[in-house]
Amino acid sequence: MRILAVVLPILTLHHCGLVAVWAMPLDSSSPICQGLHSCGDHIQNQLQRQVRRLNMSADHLFKTYVAFQEFNTEDVPALCNAHFSDFPGFNASETAQGKRAVGLYKVFVYLNTSLGNITQQQRVLHPHAQSLIDQLGNTTAIIKAVLSNLTCLLCNHFGVTEVDLYYGEPAHKIFEQKKKGCQVLNGYRQFIADVARHPPVHSRSHGH
C-alpha cells in the first residue's frame, strides 16, 4: 500500500543525529522501508513507554526553554501560541490504526527536524544553557526511537511504504527563531499529552 513517510529523514534519523531541515524542501515524499532491519517484538509496548516518557518531560522542557529566551512573562501566552505555528495537525480520535500511525509518523518527523534546529539555534544563542541543551537532546533521542518503532509498524503491519512529510517554514531572524521554538515546544507538549491518553497504535487493526 502506498499512502504517501522518509527520504533522507529516516537515514538521517538513524545515522546522523540532529537534522538541519531548513536546507530541505518544506514538503517531501519518499520510501521509508529501505534498509529496515529486524524490528523485534513488543513494539507497541515500547511505543507506549516512549510516549509516556516524552509526556512526563514535555512541560518541563517548554518551561526551561521559555526561561532562557528572556521573553516578558505577560507576552509568553501570545508569543508561544501553538495555533500560530506550522505544527502539523493530528487527529487524536482517529480509530483507523493505519491512518493513525501515518499521522503520528508525520508529526514525529516534524518534531525531530524542528528540535534539531532548535537545539542548533540554542547552542549559538545560549551556549551555557546546558540544562536546556540536555533536555532537547534527551527528547530528540526518544523521538528517534519512536520513529524507528513507527517505521516498523508502518512497513511490517500496515504495508505503508511512503508518507508525505512536512518540515515547516524556516525562521531566520533571532527573535523569530526564539518565537518559533516556543510555539513548536508548546504544540509538542499539547500533542504528546493527547497521544499519551491512549495507546499510540494497535497493530491488529489494519484500518487504512
Side-chain angles (χ1 to χ4, degrees), residues 15 22 148 178 200:
H15 303 299
W22 304 147
S148 178
K178 290 182 176 183

Side-chain angles (χ1 to χ4, degrees), residues 24-35:
M24 302 169 70
L26 297 182
D27 297 276
S28 182
S29 166
S30 104
I32 65 170
C33 303
Q34 294 179 350

Side-chain angles (χ1 to χ4, degrees), residues 163-199:
V163 177
D164 285 331
L165 298 177
Y166 177 67
Y167 298 101
E169 298 287 343
H172 302 289
K173 296 181 179 179
I174 290 176
F175 181 77
E176 291 302 314
Q177 290 175 351
K178 290 182 176 183
K179 179 180 174 182
K180 181 178 175 63
C182 193
Q183 292 173 339
V184 168
L185 294 178
N186 195 22
Y188 158 65
R189 69 173 179 164
Q190 295 172 24
F191 158 77
I192 204 67
D194 286 340
V195 175
R197 292 189 184 100
H198 307 284

Side-chain angles (χ1 to χ4, degrees), residues 41-50 52 149 201:
D41 300 321
H42 312 298
I43 291 176
Q44 293 174 76
N45 290 335
Q46 290 177 34
L47 271 173
Q48 284 184 267
R49 289 195 298 270
Q50 289 158 353
R52 282 198 298 266
N149 282 325
V201 182

